[in-house]
Amino acid sequence: MPDTNIDNQRMEKIVSLCKRRGFVFKSSEIYGGLNGVWDYGPLGVELKRNLKDYWWRVMVHERDDVVGLDGSILNHPDALKASGHADGFSDLMVDCRTCKSRWRDDQIVDKGKGKRCPNCGGRDLTEPREFNLMLETHIGSIKPGSGPTYSMHSTGMTGASGAELPPQGLQTQVEIKHPTGEQVALVYLRPETAQTIFVQFKNVLDTSRKKLPFGIAQIGKAFRNEINPRNFTFRSREFEQMELEYFCRPEQGMELLEYWKEERLKFYENIGVPRTKLHVLNVPDADRAFYSKGTYDIEYEFPFGRQELEGVAYRTDYDLSQHQKASGKSLEYFDEETKQKFIPHVVEPSAGVDRTVLALICEAYTEDEAPDEKGKMETRTVLRFHPRMAPVKCAVFPLLKNKEPLVAKAKEIVEMLRPHMFVFYDESGAIGRRYRRQDEIGTPFGVTVDFETLGEKDAALRDTVTLRSRDSMEQERVKISDLVAKITASIR
Ligand code: GAP
């Protein structure tokens, strides 16, 4: 049985380290924060970029059969109507009348004695009701005073959620009154990157001239008005996805669904998430989207429980068929061999950037024992990132900051390493403290320039440095000229 107290404490320490060392901040923190929205600080942004770059490398650059796309965040309402999001992308919501908290229906557990509020334990709960998760905005001039204004009648230009509107009649539709002469249209912030891929399928096919099976990959922001964002960045209202839509012939769908399982598990292993902490959950028929012929989730053992990192779904030809029907434009593929036209099927591995970043941090977070300056054992906090993912790859230290030749040499090394990796120079404080600061942010290598580097004690050691490993804390003497090769071998 997992000890939830220990897991909660671990999560608290991780959240605190993320803020203290500049990985993740609450959005608009100085204004009290915006719930479910996060900003990535100087180290968080590096970690995130390393993850996205590696995904792109593996999923696009190292394959012949995948091309990329960077679609827009603002999506045409007709596209999201056709995909089913405008009408059906909702969760069931329940309010607690006692403490006024709001929950997704599936978060309210009935332990045998009826449903209770997870916050106050109260039983005075509303009936579950549909809540559309899409976020809306408008394009066209919406200066104050020039519109648009809302009324509660329904028209063709509709908003989907009515989420924050007054309680009566908020079913789904609101009218937008145009300011004179202006064209104002309701658009959605995309709830998944996938739909921009489907909508551009024909353009990409025509310009890339790929043959089935082939994929279109995209990394980008998605927005969902989650009822109850929680578990730090795990469930956010603004997040990033890394999605591949892998188009194929209908008869290849099930086989490809299986093929992507191993590929995706390998990916997580290659960024430092061990296979033993990953689980594949086959989504039961009843829980799958009606158009999917098979779906599984790749889950990770977070401190707050086993949760989804990525969903892989065989979506059949549903999306392209829907867009073809709604747009009236052909999204068919012409098979040169059989001379037949058909709508391709698609298998979709869809991963979350923020969730994977969080998994990397949770996995890396370690406390061990190490001697301090005086040899006394102390607790050391280390982020044991895979070197490929680590935000800073190497820290360079002159042993003393007031010895000009040491400083000059250290800065020379920084310049030498810089074109190959993200390097950090630090001259302040005792060397042991400097190592600890780097351990805490997961820097895998530390280079120290000492008097031996200058050849003062032994001419044979001139132009060598100590290279310290974060994990073993062992140091080896390495020639400066070997540093680039030695470090790049493990960060690629
Ligand atoms: N196109 C398919 C799709 O969007 P999904 O399971 O809803 O499927 C895919 O989302 C992935 O996106 C999830 O596995 C998760 O990693 C990430 N994701 C979804 N909602 C999220 C949220 N509210 N906050 C953070 N990540 C989220």
Side-chain angles (χ1 to χ4, degrees):
M1 271 296 273
D3 185 331
T4 36
N5 260 347
I6 291 180
D7 289 338
N8 288 346
Q9 276 173 19
R10 183 176 165 81
M11 206 52 219
E12 274 168 28
K13 285 180 182 174
I14 288 170
V15 173
S16 145
L17 185 142
C18 280
K19 167 151 193 215
R20 183 159 39 82
R21 297 309 311 268
F23 282 91
V24 182
F25 307 127
K26 244 188 208 167
S27 168
S28 303
E29 191 180 330
I30 58 169
Y31 292 100
L34 199 51
N35 195 14
V37 189
W38 302 92
D39 294 337
Y40 287 81
L43 293 176
V45 69
E46 296 294 333
L47 178 59
K48 215 177 177 196
R49 284 179 74 103
N50 292 342
L51 169 66
K52 291 192 283 184
D53 287 351
Y54 186 65
W55 187 90
W56 198 260
R57 174 178 139 195
V58 170
M59 301 294 269
V60 184
H61 288 178
E62 291 182 356
R63 303 185 66 104
D64 288 329
D65 56 353
V66 177
V67 291
L69 180 78
D70 186 9
S72 59
I73 282 169
L74 300 181
N75 279 193
H76 197 296
D78 291 349
L80 292 175
K81 180 113 183 123
S83 66
H85 286 88
D87 298 323
F89 193 57
S90 52
D91 276 344
L92 285 176
M93 172 174 77
V94 173
D95 286 333
C96 171
R97 293 195 186 92
T98 311
C99 70
K100 313 286 178 228
S101 59
R102 178 162 278 183
W103 302 92
R104 276 203 339 252
D105 187 45
D106 62 0
Q107 292 170 332
I108 303 213
V109 225
D110 182 348
K111 289 188 181 150
K113 292 181 187 157
K115 289 183 167 184
R116 281 173 176 273
C117 168
N119 184 42
C120 70
R123 294 177 191 276
D124 192 5
L125 304 170
T126 61
E127 282 304 307
R129 57 200 191 282
E130 296 276 344
F131 176 87
N132 192 293
L133 301 181
M134 285 214 291
L135 285 153
E136 305 164 355
T137 188
H138 302 94
I139 51 174
S141 164
I142 48 166
K143 280 193 225 110
S146 74
T149 52
Y150 291 94
S151 73
M152 301 305 287
H153 308 290
S154 89
T155 67
M157 296 185 69
T158 58
S161 74
E164 308 297 347
L165 293 172
Q168 337 76 1
L170 51 71
Q171 253 330 303
T172 53
Q173 314 237 305
V174 289
E175 177 184 359
I176 294 167
K177 290 187 173 158
H178 297 230
T180 328
E182 291 279 0
Q183 271 217 323
V184 179
L186 177 143
V187 292
Y188 295 110
L189 305 188
R190 62 183 176 188
E192 58 175 11
T193 65
Q195 294 307 322
T196 44
I197 297 181
F198 296 128
V199 167
Q200 290 295 357
F201 171 75
K202 196 70 176 161
N203 278 333
V204 177
L205 179 67
D206 291 348
T207 50
S208 66
R209 296 168 52 235
K210 289 281 172 203
K211 301 268 172 282
L212 289 180
F214 78 94
I216 306 178
Q218 178 168 207
I219 300 179
K221 290 267 186 180
F223 300 82
R224 297 183 190 175
N225 196 8
E226 295 285 353
I227 295 169
N228 193 4
R230 61 183 185 151
N231 287 330
F232 197 22
T233 56
F234 180 84
R235 189 174 299 285
S236 308
R237 289 181 165 143
E238 173 176 343
F239 55 96
E240 267 184 287
Q241 292 184 313
M242 305 181 281
E243 296 199 296
L244 171 68
E245 302 304 326
Y246 196 73
F247 299 98
C248 62
R249 295 184 162 75
E251 62 275 17
Q252 296 170 309
M254 290 311 280
E255 198 183 310
L256 285 167
L257 182 67
E258 199 52 34
Y259 162 81
W260 281 107
K261 194 184 289 175
E262 188 53 30
E263 291 297 302
R264 298 304 304 144
L265 289 169
K266 254 191 316 199
F267 172 85
Y268 290 106
E269 275 192 298
N270 288 342
I271 58 173
V273 183
R275 191 73 74 117
T276 49
K277 296 270 200 79
L278 294 169
H279 303 275
V280 176
L281 171 81
N282 286 311
V283 178
D285 294 357
D287 298 345
R288 267 199 327 256
F290 69 91
Y291 50 78
S292 168
K293 281 198 176 162
T295 301
Y296 52 86
D297 293 340
I298 298 178
E299 298 181 322
Y300 169 72
E301 287 175 26
F302 285 97
F304 45 83
R306 193 186 281 192
Q307 297 279 353
E308 175 185 335
L309 281 181
E310 166 161 356
V312 185
Y314 173 22
R315 296 175 75 128
T316 64
D317 59 355
Y318 174 77
D319 302 274
L320 289 182
S321 300
Q322 288 294 101
H323 289 304
Q324 173 166 295
K325 226 185 292 165
S327 67
K329 303 282 176 347
S330 166
L331 298 179
E332 286 175 318
Y333 175 85
F334 178 68
D335 191 330
E336 306 271 357
E337 283 163 36
T338 60
K339 308 289 177 212
Q340 285 187 333
K341 278 185 175 177
F342 62 95
I343 295 185
H345 280 218
V346 73
V347 174
E348 175 200 64
S350 169
V353 173
D354 309 74
R355 285 190 188 178
T356 310
V357 163
L358 185 58
L360 290 176
I361 296 174
C362 291
E363 189 56 35
Y365 186 91
T366 323
E367 289 173 7
D368 61 14
E369 293 285 305
D372 68 8
E373 300 285 281
K374 295 184 182 112
K376 194 168 141 260
M377 293 309 270
E378 62 173 6
T379 302
R380 175 178 85 128
T381 302
V382 199
L383 288 182
R384 292 179 188 263
F385 288 127
H386 189 295
R388 184 176 275 147
M389 291 293 113
V392 179
K393 307 298 184 194
C394 181
V396 181
F397 317 110
L399 187 62
L400 299 171
K401 73 169 174 190
N402 51 5
K403 288 280 179 263
E404 175 48 28
L406 293 178
V407 169
K409 199 57 158 181
K411 290 190 173 166
E412 214 179 274
I413 293 173
V414 168
E415 291 312 314
M416 179 190 80
L417 295 176
R418 210 162 242 168
H420 306 276
M421 66 195 76
F422 188 39
V423 196
F424 184 78
Y425 172 80
D426 187 6
E427 59 179 24
S428 64
I431 194 77
R433 287 284 120 210
R434 283 185 262 169
Y435 286 149
R436 287 291 182 281
R437 287 203 289 264
Q438 293 306 312
D439 291 342
E440 205 185 32
I441 62 165
T443 307
F445 299 102
V447 164
T448 304
V449 174
D450 54 21
F451 291 104
E452 278 158 346
T453 312
L454 306 178
E456 287 188 3
K457 291 188 181 154
D458 179 351
L461 294 180
R462 180 184 293 280
D463 286 332
T464 65
V465 287
T466 61
L467 181 64
R468 173 187 183 266
S469 146
R470 170 199 68 199
D471 297 342
S472 66
M473 292 186 280
E474 276 169 14
Q475 303 188 18
E476 55 175 326
R477 200 88 212 160
V478 173
K479 281 192 196 148
I480 293 175
S481 55
D482 289 342
L483 277 177
V484 170
K486 235 179 148 56
I487 300 174
T488 50
S490 67
I491 61 173
R492 261 286 295 155

